Amino acid sequence: MAGNTFGQLFKISTFGESHGPAIGVIIDGCPAQLNIDLDFIQSELDKRKPGQSRITTQRKESDTVQVLSGIFEGKSTGTPIGLLIPNEDHRSKDYEHNKDVYRPSHADYTYDAKYGFRDHRGGGRSSARETAARVAAGAIAKLLLKEQGIEIFAHVASVGKINAPNLEDLSVAELLELREDNIVRCADPATAKQMIECIDGIRKDGDTIGGKISCLVKNCPVGLGEPVFDKLHADLGKAMLSINAVHGFEYGSGFSGSEMRGSEHNDIFINDGDAPRTITNFSGGIQGGISNGMEINFTVAFKPVATIMHNQQTVNAAGEASEIKGKGRHDPCVVPRAVVIVEAMAALVLADQLLRSKTNRVS
Amino acid sequence: MAGNTFGQLFKISTFGESHGPAIGVIIDGCPAQLNIDLDFIQSELDKRKPGQSRITTQRKESDTVQVLSGIFEGKSTGTPIGLLIPNEDHRSKDYEHNKDVYRPSHADYTYDAKYGFRDHRGGGRSSARETAARVAAGAIAKLLLKEQGIEIFAHVASVGKINAPNLEDLSVAELLELREDNIVRCADPATAKQMIECIDGIRKDGDTIGGKISCLVKNCPVGLGEPVFDKLHADLGKAMLSINAVHGFEYGSGFSGSEMRGSEHNDIFINDGDAPRTITNFSGGIQGGISNGMEINFTVAFKPVATIMHNQQTVNAAGEASEIKGKGRHDPCVVPRAVVIVEAMAALVLADQLLRSKTNRVS
Amino acid sequence: MAGNTFGQLFKISTFGESHGPAIGVIIDGCPAQLNIDLDFIQSELDKRKPGQSRITTQRKESDTVQVLSGIFEGKSTGTPIGLLIPNEDHRSKDYEHNKDVYRPSHADYTYDAKYGFRDHRGGGRSSARETAARVAAGAIAKLLLKEQGIEIFAHVASVGKINAPNLEDLSVAELLELREDNIVRCADPATAKQMIECIDGIRKDGDTIGGKISCLVKNCPVGLGEPVFDKLHADLGKAMLSINAVHGFEYGSGFSGSEMRGSEHNDIFINDGDAPRTITNFSGGIQGGISNGMEINFTVAFKPVATIMHNQQTVNAAGEASEIKGKGRHDPCVVPRAVVIVEAMAALVLADQLLRSKTNRVS
Amino acid sequence: MAGNTFGQLFKISTFGESHGPAIGVIIDGCPAQLNIDLDFIQSELDKRKPGQSRITTQRKESDTVQVLSGIFEGKSTGTPIGLLIPNEDHRSKDYEHNKDVYRPSHADYTYDAKYGFRDHRGGGRSSARETAARVAAGAIAKLLLKEQGIEIFAHVASVGKINAPNLEDLSVAELLELREDNIVRCADPATAKQMIECIDGIRKDGDTIGGKISCLVKNCPVGLGEPVFDKLHADLGKAMLSINAVHGFEYGSGFSGSEMRGSEHNDIFINDGDAPRTITNFSGGIQGGISNGMEINFTVAFKPVATIMHNQQTVNAAGEASEIKGKGRHDPCVVPRAVVIVEAMAALVLADQLLRSKTNRVS
């Protein structure tokens, strides 16, 4: 109940603090005989790791993954897969000066209030460093999905007020190539350039900026998602909202759908050879909480990172007025590194619902 | 795993189809000795029931709740509370003509694809009628929260492009009075008038329109919500996204937060007598997934209802082109009746997290 | 967490008190398209119902099951199946005289201590009447298992010190015929006669007697059960121990296995055509927590029913010495009615593990 | 669902294989601010570790525990506690000769059948080495229980047909001293001597022998355990049956209770100062699935270890008749090392139910 577990059948439990010896994840429920490509897991982690470009934090972590269990002769055994990522560059002393003060819009105060004390070093468990464990687990979920042909792609849809145009209808491989061609991870090169300039300026100001990530899922089979509470988009929404700094989620027509009429919004079915498909896709690939075979798409809104290089007023644990010094290392904008986290959480939801769908019918 | 259960400690399981004998809910985990006010439960159901005004569907259901178990001498016993709501006005024949065709943007096709067949009468389990069971359970959650002083209020924030202004800082009792004073359930009387006119026009067109509901929670204690996956806003998001027709969720600064800088967005702490509070509340009352004692606020986007009174093209189960006749009864806009569903789901999340918080610390 | 739910994928939630309006069960996770034979469900309930013979309690309940949801045109829809069993003969007044006293070896004191009060009428939720809901759900589980050829059979293995010999190797159909041919439900006619005489004598004494039920599962496929915590026999053990009055569980060699040497106890594998089988079966059909294709067998020990027709000393809620009058209706021996409960719980465990096994391997 | 998680609120997930790099456990739900005594955890592991005396396997493992997360400045933080136990002496080559053959009464065949292949080195995940992770987690559960005064004690009650007399009514400290004074871990010195002689003989024969462990819990508060499915003894039963080699569980009067009359078996209440207590304790401290404040007691039956030093006939993965050579290292009798595993699993159940009991009542 303490909330460090995600998924029902493809279930992960993460552990570890920002400045402890390691973070890691246990995956329980990965089916046996899945080929596990460790290089792929590492390459996913590399997309999230700090220090990868000038627009990310300069903390240095190789984020090298170690296998503790559950893989034998290159395949999953059906037993728990344990993955460990040692922490390397944990300058705990950077945080000594903030030990007793509550950093604005961080979790310092709420952790103290909830638990009576906290591991203050780098945010402890509340640090986004925990998401490395999700990325490692999500990589294995992606390998499982790939066997079914399911592909996931996310990219940076906006930084501040700079919005990317809608993606052209390209293959996931083509989209990935466009995205990885720039350090902000936006698949539209012209927009990417503007975004990078924006973040560069923000960084020089010692400030931070929010952004949005959009994600799509191709080749999702019809029938994933459970009616009522565990609707596919409800599970996706929870997954995304559980990522640090996320403040909003929408799928299909999203918030703009609330301004539309039914006669515009309804997705008309046509017959496309072997299965129905819809002419429009305001449903975002999900109807009644269940995938309908169309492309799934959703967007996730991230607030600006709370750690800024300005001095800020606050209070300390004793209730006294205090000042936070703006120093240390930080990400001016979180979305370039969060793209792979969004993909990982989407993969975890889909892998879980894929397994759940195997018991929907007799025989 | 089949997704009809919500909550961990305050856990509900709903059952029932739109046109079966009844719908209902089992609440497992309601603490013993809670005073159960059956009139309150019924009054909540009355706010959701069909036929309550000219801008809702004209299906006639009294939605009278029956207690099956778990309440003794007016109090919860600690054992499962069973609540039953018989279906009364189920004109199944209204649906015979659509038995084999897939209604656009409904769950007909996805249910058939998932389960191999479906109860086609009124959408069966995919009908929003299921939410009556949630409202009944949510009413009991509200009674539990009320004992702690926690209050929940939702209202219609928009219909189509008509947006209500931000709510004035009134008590929940005052807000409720303003809201219940009009049939669209918007706490701003001038906006309410426009919304009703809009819906009246939509209804005459045989069309439907989307809208948004905003919700706030007052007097929430500090410390609710679990770090990492079960963050308070992640649980709220999932709860809202599991409601029929919801396409988006945001809390605090939400999507607009993605356009802001950290230096604007950070909520500065000040000392407010016995506890820290923040000057602004872009965090929406939640930091690191845990309530910080400020007002919690979030907004939910609903797509337009898919059932319209127009003829629409579609395909049938055999894959042939077909036409859906626009006839029967429908809601031109779902948000007036959904206000109490949003509140119910919020109450269920908070009740669950309230119970979960009781085990956070030794002693 | 309040413990009224059983199973992970084939999941049941029971509700209802002995003297409330009804008891019932919600089954969530029954796969779609299972043919539901309502007569079979009723015939199972008839084997558990009170008043069926002179050696059971004389409370009169028809235990007629009503379907609330989840079944359409004779088949499961994949959505929750709701089953209701109204209470008919609830003479609550029989219990008024015991309202404030704690009946020995009942749950009166522990419920009061846990919840602060209790529904004292007939034991409320602690009554074995709750097991009728399990039998109804178990009947549906049996229908699911039957599609795979899996058969379950239990009978009374002992009453007091009267023990039945080991069962001959007959088909389940033959065993059932032998068992249902006598009111004590022992498949050995000679022993059954002795058991009935014993219970008749006990009943005349106003006393009660314990007994044992043994159960076997035929045609269980290899591979059911999860390693480590959810071993097949661990789930079976929990299921059985959750039945009222059960004090012990053993499978395979059971307690006597603790006296054996490895060289005697090891089950030697031989090749039996298409799969390995073992010459002996001390493993009880389960190795490493996973079914091995041999017959599964286990035994369940029931204490004597606590309600006796003698006056007994006790204390009341105020802590004062009191006397319980021996009057009312009671079962002199619970095992004849419990046979079908044991089968139902076994069926629920197997149905759950059958569904779980569908996700063990990729593809 | 893959069954490597135990507990609801005090929840553990174990991982690791016998011959992989390490085994370990994640504890999610340990309340914050618990003082964590690492020396105590290690001392518990030392009681289970191999090679501790001449009557255990000679595999050499120091079983040194490492903390990965969740403990800060000597206290639990409320976040997941990760514990790692590296494997040291894993002579995988010892198992090469048995790679393709199915060892009798081991899990080789069932794992292969379930997963399509297996990690054959030392039984992989099916090895009792996994229980070291449970002991580490159980030690933390014991620390939590100790804060409430709850004490757990288990010892060897039988080896083969040698049974210890009932324990005298001593304190847990005294019992522990008696038990740890001999290598077989029986609190009755005279019986211990016989048991050791018996095991010595068995070992020389290259054979193994079964045994029983009995466990008692002192100072358990009234009210632990949930009615219906999660009865305290049902959870204890499942916990025990999930331990490798366990074939039976009984509590209170157990199997012998099935031979008794209600008039003998009923535990008569008397007033003992501030609370009711019972004169006898056939209920084993649990009534209606809920602790009643009396001493809880139960017994667990272990089959003889399957690995013997004799050659045995079997079949291999190709279905051919084969012979297993009796060589390597093994435990002639598992119960001396299993005493602390029984205690650990009991502690995990009680810690979980203790946390669950905190939400039973309003306020």
Side-chain angles (χ1 to χ4, degrees):
Chain A
M1 295 309 97
N4 296 284
T5 293
F6 187 81
Q8 304 291 325
L9 291 186
F10 194 98
K11 182 160 63 171
I12 69 166
S13 299
T14 70
F15 60 92
E17 281 84 41
S18 176
H19 288 63
I23 58 167
V25 61
I26 308 305
I27 306 167
D28 197 19
C30 182
Q33 307 223 34
L34 181 66
N35 290 307
I36 305 293
D37 177 348
L38 290 176
D39 292 339
F40 175 69
I41 302 174
Q42 190 60 54
S43 72
E44 291 287 283
L45 283 165
D46 291 347
K47 292 182 185 125
R48 196 216 70 95
K49 76 175 175 188
Q52 62 183 274
S53 79
R54 71 176 190 272
I55 61 170
T56 66
T57 174
Q58 297 307 304
R59 176 171 173 170
K60 290 290 178 199
E61 291 288 350
S62 69
D63 282 358
T64 306
V65 67
Q66 298 172 4
V67 175
L68 295 177
S69 63
I71 301 172
F72 184 61
E73 298 178 345
K75 291 185 177 185
S76 61
T77 58
T79 62
I81 299 174
L83 300 176
L84 198 73
I85 302 167
N87 291 326
E88 295 160 354
D89 180 19
H90 36 89
R91 302 189 201 157
S92 302
K93 280 181 190 152
D94 280 8
Y95 295 92
E96 278 302 309
H97 66 295
N98 283 346
K99 190 178 162 178
D100 294 318
V101 293
Y102 296 138
R103 292 171 298 161
S105 292
H106 274 280
D108 298 347
Y109 168 54
T110 51
Y111 267 63
D112 256 15
K114 187 178 188 74
Y115 299 116
F117 82 131
R118 73 184 200 281
D119 177 352
H120 65 272
R121 302 164 304 164
R125 181 76 180 145
S126 74
S127 165
R129 182 147 183 74
E130 180 271 339
T131 59
R134 305 186 190 198
V135 170
I140 291 182
K142 281 183 181 179
L143 292 172
L144 179 64
L145 298 173
K146 196 193 274 179
E147 298 236 339
Q148 312 283 325
I150 306 171
E151 293 180 306
I152 298 173
F153 171 78
H155 84 140
V156 171
S158 76
V159 167
K161 289 176 182 165
I162 303 166
N163 285 278
N166 285 339
L167 287 174
E168 286 179 78
D169 191 18
L170 300 172
S171 72
V172 164
E174 290 165 321
L175 288 168
L176 272 172
E177 198 179 321
L178 283 168
R179 182 189 86 184
E180 290 301 313
D181 206 40
N182 62 73
I183 57 176
V184 80
R185 291 204 172 85
C186 171
D188 184 71
T191 314
K193 197 154 167 284
Q194 293 176 57
M195 289 171 170
I196 294 167
E197 279 164 21
C198 169
I199 297 173
D200 269 331
I202 291 284
R203 184 171 54 88
K204 282 170 198 149
D205 291 352
D207 211 341
T208 60
I209 185 86
K212 295 198 294 283
I213 291 173
S214 66
C215 184
L216 52 85
V217 182
K218 296 208 180 211
N219 301 321
C220 183
V222 190
L224 302 200
E226 297 293 331
V228 186
F229 298 112
D230 296 352
K231 290 181 164 87
L232 184 54
H233 57 268
D235 275 10
L236 286 168
K238 171 159 178 167
M240 299 305 143
L241 288 156
S242 77
I243 300 172
N244 307 48
V246 172
H247 269 231
F249 171 86
E250 61 181 2
Y251 83 102
S253 62
F255 273 83
S256 71
S258 74
E259 300 185 351
M260 292 169 74
R261 287 181 168 228
S263 54
E264 309 169 76
H265 192 277
N266 279 356
D267 291 319
I268 299 303
F269 283 109
I270 55 169
N271 195 325
D272 183 35
D274 49 350
R277 51 173 286 124
T278 62
I279 299 175
T280 51
N281 187 19
F282 292 112
S283 300
I286 303 171
Q287 290 178 323
I290 300 167
S291 61
N292 68 357
M294 300 293 293
E295 187 176 285
I296 295 170
N297 59 66
F298 59 86
T299 299
V300 188
F302 290 77
K303 69 163 190 172
V305 172
T307 301
I308 58 177
M309 296 299 99
H310 304 178
N311 293 352
Q312 298 175 89
Q313 295 305 308
T314 189
V315 298
N316 64 18
E320 302 155 339
S322 304
E323 195 185 55
I324 292 277
K325 299 288 177 198
K327 66 174 186 179
R329 302 166 295 188
H330 83 302
D331 278 288
C333 182
V334 79
V335 285
R337 290 175 59 201
V339 161
V340 72
I341 307 171
V342 165
E343 287 183 352
M345 292 307 297
L348 289 165
V349 168
L350 289 163
D352 191 41
Q353 290 282 9
L354 182 70
L355 295 186
R356 291 168 75 170
S357 73
K358 295 196 179 215
T359 62
N360 282 142
R361 292 197 209 179
V362 169
S363 85
Chain B
M1 295 311 97
N4 296 285
T5 293
F6 188 79
Q8 303 292 328
L9 291 185
F10 194 98
K11 180 161 64 172
I12 69 166
S13 300
T14 71
F15 60 91
E17 282 82 40
S18 176
H19 288 63
I23 58 167
V25 62
I26 307 305
I27 306 167
D28 196 20
C30 182
Q33 306 223 36
L34 181 66
N35 289 307
I36 305 292
D37 178 346
L38 290 177
D39 292 340
F40 174 70
I41 301 175
Q42 190 59 55
S43 72
E44 291 286 283
L45 282 166
D46 291 348
K47 291 182 187 125
R48 197 215 70 96
K49 77 175 176 189
Q52 62 182 276
S53 80
R54 72 176 188 274
I55 61 169
T56 66
T57 174
Q58 296 307 303
R59 176 171 172 171
K60 290 291 180 201
E61 291 286 351
S62 70
D63 281 357
T64 306
V65 68
Q66 298 173 6
V67 175
L68 294 178
S69 63
I71 300 172
F72 184 61
E73 296 177 348
K75 291 185 178 186
S76 61
T77 57
T79 61
I81 298 175
L83 300 175
L84 198 73
I85 303 167
N87 291 327
E88 295 161 353
D89 180 17
H90 38 90
R91 300 189 201 158
S92 302
K93 282 182 190 152
D94 280 9
Y95 296 91
E96 279 301 309
H97 65 296
N98 284 346
K99 188 178 164 178
D100 295 317
V101 293
Y102 296 139
R103 293 171 298 160
S105 292
H106 273 279
D108 298 347
Y109 168 55
T110 52
Y111 267 63
D112 256 15
K114 187 178 187 74
Y115 299 117
F117 82 130
R118 72 185 202 278
D119 177 351
H120 65 273
R121 300 165 304 164
R125 181 75 180 146
S126 74
S127 167
R129 183 148 182 73
E130 180 270 341
T131 58
R134 305 186 189 199
V135 169
I140 291 181
K142 281 184 181 178
L143 292 171
L144 179 63
L145 297 173
K146 196 192 274 179
E147 298 235 339
Q148 312 283 325
I150 306 170
E151 291 180 308
I152 298 172
F153 171 78
H155 85 139
V156 172
S158 76
V159 167
K161 290 177 182 164
I162 304 166
N163 285 278
N166 287 339
L167 288 173
E168 288 178 78
D169 191 19
L170 300 171
S171 73
V172 164
E174 291 164 321
L175 288 168
L176 271 172
E177 198 178 322
L178 283 168
R179 182 190 84 182
E180 290 300 314
D181 206 38
N182 62 71
I183 57 177
V184 80
R185 290 204 173 86
C186 172
D188 184 70
T191 315
K193 197 156 167 282
Q194 293 175 57
M195 287 172 170
I196 293 166
E197 280 165 20
C198 169
I199 297 174
D200 269 332
I202 290 284
R203 183 173 54 88
K204 282 170 197 150
D205 291 351
D207 211 341
T208 60
I209 186 87
K212 295 198 295 284
I213 292 173
S214 64
C215 184
L216 53 85
V217 182
K218 297 207 179 210
N219 301 321
C220 182
V222 190
L224 301 200
E226 297 292 332
V228 187
F229 299 111
D230 296 351
K231 290 181 163 85
L232 185 54
H233 57 269
D235 274 9
L236 286 168
K238 170 160 178 166
M240 299 306 144
L241 288 156
S242 76
I243 300 172
N244 306 49
V246 172
H247 269 231
F249 170 86
E250 60 180 3
Y251 82 102
S253 62
F255 274 82
S256 71
S258 73
E259 301 186 350
M260 292 170 72
R261 285 178 169 232
S263 54
E264 311 167 77
H265 192 277
N266 279 356
D267 292 319
I268 300 303
F269 283 109
I270 55 169
N271 196 324
D272 183 35
D274 48 352
R277 51 172 284 124
T278 61
I279 300 175
T280 50
N281 187 20
F282 292 112
S283 300
I286 302 170
Q287 291 177 325
I290 300 167
S291 60
N292 68 356
M294 301 294 291
E295 186 176 285
I296 294 170
N297 59 65
F298 59 87
T299 299
V300 188
F302 289 77
K303 69 164 189 173
V305 172
T307 301
I308 59 176
M309 296 299 99
H310 302 177
N311 294 352
Q312 297 175 90
Q313 295 305 308
T314 188
V315 298
N316 64 17
E320 301 156 337
S322 304
E323 196 185 57
I324 291 278
K325 300 288 176 199
K327 67 175 187 180
R329 302 166 297 189
H330 84 303
D331 278 287
C333 182
V334 79
V335 286
R337 291 175 59 201
V339 160
V340 72
I341 306 170
V342 165
E343 287 183 353
M345 291 308 297
L348 288 166
V349 168
L350 289 162
D352 191 42
Q353 290 282 11
L354 183 70
L355 295 185
R356 290 168 76 170
S357 73
K358 295 196 178 212
T359 61
N360 282 139
R361 293 198 210 181
V362 169
S363 88
Chain C
M1 293 312 97
N4 297 283
T5 294
F6 187 81
Q8 304 291 328
L9 291 185
F10 194 99
K11 181 161 64 172
I12 70 166
S13 300
T14 70
F15 60 92
E17 283 81 41
S18 176
H19 288 63
I23 58 168
V25 62
I26 307 305
I27 306 167
D28 197 17
C30 181
Q33 306 224 35
L34 181 66
N35 289 309
I36 305 292
D37 178 346
L38 290 176
D39 292 339
F40 175 69
I41 302 175
Q42 190 60 55
S43 72
E44 291 286 285
L45 283 165
D46 292 347
K47 291 182 186 124
R48 196 216 69 96
K49 77 175 176 189
Q52 61 181 276
S53 79
R54 72 176 188 272
I55 60 171
T56 67
T57 173
Q58 296 308 304
R59 178 170 171 172
K60 289 292 178 197
E61 291 287 351
S62 71
D63 281 357
T64 306
V65 67
Q66 298 172 5
V67 175
L68 294 177
S69 64
I71 300 173
F72 185 60
E73 298 178 344
K75 290 184 178 185
S76 61
T77 59
T79 62
I81 300 174
L83 301 176
L84 198 72
I85 303 167
N87 291 327
E88 296 161 353
D89 180 18
H90 37 89
R91 303 189 200 159
S92 303
K93 281 180 190 152
D94 280 7
Y95 296 91
E96 278 303 307
H97 65 294
N98 284 346
K99 190 177 164 177
D100 294 318
V101 292
Y102 296 139
R103 292 171 298 160
S105 293
H106 273 280
D108 298 347
Y109 168 55
T110 52
Y111 267 63
D112 256 15
K114 186 177 188 74
Y115 298 116
F117 82 130
R118 74 184 200 279
D119 177 352
H120 64 273
R121 300 164 306 163
R125 182 73 180 148
S126 74
S127 166
R129 182 147 182 74
E130 181 269 341
T131 57
R134 305 186 188 199
V135 169
I140 292 180
K142 282 184 181 178
L143 292 171
L144 179 64
L145 297 174
K146 196 193 276 180
E147 298 235 339
Q148 312 283 326
I150 306 171
E151 293 180 306
I152 298 172
F153 171 78
H155 84 140
V156 172
S158 74
V159 167
K161 290 177 181 163
I162 304 166
N163 285 278
N166 285 340
L167 287 174
E168 287 177 77
D169 191 18
L170 300 172
S171 72
V172 165
E174 291 165 322
L175 289 169
L176 271 171
E177 199 179 320
L178 284 168
R179 181 190 86 184
E180 290 300 313
D181 206 40
N182 62 72
I183 57 176
V184 80
R185 290 203 174 86
C186 172
D188 184 70
T191 315
K193 195 154 169 282
Q194 293 176 56
M195 289 170 169
I196 294 167
E197 278 164 22
C198 169
I199 297 174
D200 269 332
I202 291 283
R203 185 172 53 88
K204 281 171 198 148
D205 291 351
D207 210 340
T208 60
I209 185 90
K212 295 197 296 281
I213 291 173
S214 65
C215 184
L216 53 87
V217 182
K218 296 209 179 207
N219 301 319
C220 183
V222 190
L224 300 200
E226 297 291 332
V228 186
F229 298 112
D230 295 352
K231 290 181 165 85
L232 185 53
H233 58 267
D235 274 11
L236 286 168
K238 171 159 176 164
M240 298 307 142
L241 288 156
S242 77
I243 301 172
N244 307 49
V246 173
H247 268 232
F249 171 86
E250 60 181 0
Y251 83 102
S253 61
F255 274 83
S256 71
S258 73
E259 301 186 351
M260 292 170 74
R261 287 181 167 226
S263 53
E264 310 168 75
H265 192 277
N266 279 358
D267 292 319
I268 299 303
F269 283 110
I270 54 169
N271 195 325
D272 182 36
D274 48 351
R277 51 172 285 125
T278 61
I279 299 176
T280 50
N281 186 20
F282 292 112
S283 299
I286 303 171
Q287 291 178 324
I290 300 168
S291 61
N292 69 355
M294 300 294 292
E295 187 176 284
I296 295 171
N297 59 65
F298 59 86
T299 299
V300 188
F302 290 77
K303 70 163 189 172
V305 171
T307 301
I308 57 176
M309 294 301 99
H310 304 178
N311 293 353
Q312 296 174 90
Q313 294 306 309
T314 188
V315 298
N316 66 16
E320 301 156 338
S322 303
E323 194 185 57
I324 292 278
K325 298 288 177 198
K327 66 175 186 179
R329 302 167 296 189
H330 83 303
D331 277 288
C333 182
V334 81
V335 286
R337 290 175 60 202
V339 161
V340 72
I341 307 171
V342 165
E343 287 183 352
M345 292 307 297
L348 290 165
V349 168
L350 289 163
D352 191 41
Q353 290 283 10
L354 183 69
L355 296 184
R356 292 168 76 170
S357 73
K358 295 195 179 215
T359 62
N360 281 140
R361 293 197 208 181
V362 169
S363 88
Chain D
M1 293 313 97
N4 296 285
T5 294
F6 187 81
Q8 304 291 327
L9 290 185
F10 194 98
K11 181 162 62 173
I12 69 165
S13 300
T14 69
F15 60 92
E17 283 81 42
S18 176
H19 288 63
I23 59 167
V25 62
I26 307 305
I27 306 167
D28 197 19
C30 181
Q33 308 221 36
L34 180 67
N35 290 308
I36 305 292
D37 178 348
L38 290 176
D39 292 339
F40 175 69
I41 302 175
Q42 191 59 55
S43 72
E44 291 286 282
L45 283 166
D46 292 347
K47 292 182 186 125
R48 196 216 70 96
K49 77 174 175 190
Q52 61 183 278
S53 78
R54 73 176 189 273
I55 61 170
T56 66
T57 172
Q58 296 308 306
R59 177 172 172 169
K60 289 291 177 199
E61 291 287 351
S62 71
D63 281 357
T64 306
V65 68
Q66 298 173 5
V67 175
L68 294 178
S69 64
I71 299 172
F72 185 61
E73 297 177 347
K75 290 184 178 185
S76 61
T77 58
T79 61
I81 299 175
L83 301 176
L84 197 73
I85 303 167
N87 291 327
E88 296 161 354
D89 179 19
H90 36 89
R91 302 189 200 158
S92 303
K93 282 182 191 150
D94 281 7
Y95 296 93
E96 279 303 307
H97 65 296
N98 285 345
K99 190 177 165 178
D100 294 316
V101 293
Y102 296 139
R103 292 172 298 161
S105 292
H106 273 280
D108 298 346
Y109 169 55
T110 52
Y111 267 63
D112 255 15
K114 187 178 187 75
Y115 298 117
F117 82 130
R118 72 185 202 280
D119 178 351
H120 65 272
R121 301 165 304 164
R125 182 73 179 146
S126 74
S127 165
R129 181 146 184 76
E130 180 271 341
T131 58
R134 306 187 189 198
V135 168
I140 292 182
K142 282 184 180 177
L143 292 172
L144 180 63
L145 297 173
K146 197 193 273 181
E147 298 237 338
Q148 312 282 327
I150 305 171
E151 292 179 306
I152 298 173
F153 171 79
H155 84 139
V156 172
S158 75
V159 167
K161 290 178 181 164
I162 303 166
N163 285 278
N166 286 340
L167 289 173
E168 285 178 78
D169 191 18
L170 301 171
S171 72
V172 165
E174 290 165 321
L175 289 168
L176 272 172
E177 199 179 320
L178 284 168
R179 182 190 83 184
E180 291 300 313
D181 206 38
N182 61 72
I183 58 176
V184 79
R185 291 206 171 84
C186 171
D188 184 70
T191 314
K193 196 154 168 284
Q194 294 175 55
M195 290 172 170
I196 294 167
E197 279 164 21
C198 169
I199 298 173
D200 268 333
I202 291 285
R203 185 172 53 87
K204 282 170 198 150
D205 291 352
D207 211 341
T208 61
I209 185 90
K212 295 198 296 282
I213 291 173
S214 65
C215 184
L216 54 85
V217 182
K218 296 209 180 208
N219 301 320
C220 183
V222 190
L224 300 201
E226 296 292 333
V228 187
F229 298 111
D230 296 352
K231 291 182 164 84
L232 185 54
H233 57 268
D235 275 10
L236 286 169
K238 172 161 177 163
M240 298 307 143
L241 287 156
S242 77
I243 301 172
N244 306 47
V246 172
H247 269 231
F249 171 86
E250 61 180 0
Y251 83 102
S253 62
F255 273 83
S256 70
S258 73
E259 301 186 350
M260 293 170 73
R261 288 180 167 227
S263 54
E264 311 168 75
H265 191 276
N266 280 356
D267 292 319
I268 300 304
F269 283 110
I270 55 170
N271 196 325
D272 182 35
D274 48 353
R277 52 173 283 125
T278 61
I279 300 175
T280 50
N281 187 19
F282 292 111
S283 299
I286 303 170
Q287 292 177 323
I290 300 167
S291 61
N292 68 357
M294 301 293 292
E295 186 176 284
I296 295 171
N297 59 66
F298 60 86
T299 299
V300 188
F302 289 76
K303 70 164 188 173
V305 172
T307 301
I308 57 177
M309 295 299 99
H310 303 176
N311 293 354
Q312 297 175 87
Q313 294 305 308
T314 188
V315 298
N316 65 16
E320 301 156 338
S322 303
E323 195 185 56
I324 292 277
K325 299 285 176 200
K327 67 175 186 178
R329 302 167 297 190
H330 83 302
D331 278 288
C333 183
V334 80
V335 287
R337 290 175 60 202
V339 160
V340 73
I341 307 170
V342 164
E343 287 183 352
M345 292 307 298
L348 289 166
V349 168
L350 289 162
D352 191 42
Q353 290 283 9
L354 182 70
L355 295 185
R356 291 168 76 170
S357 74
K358 296 196 178 212
T359 62
N360 282 140
R361 294 198 208 180
V362 169
S363 88

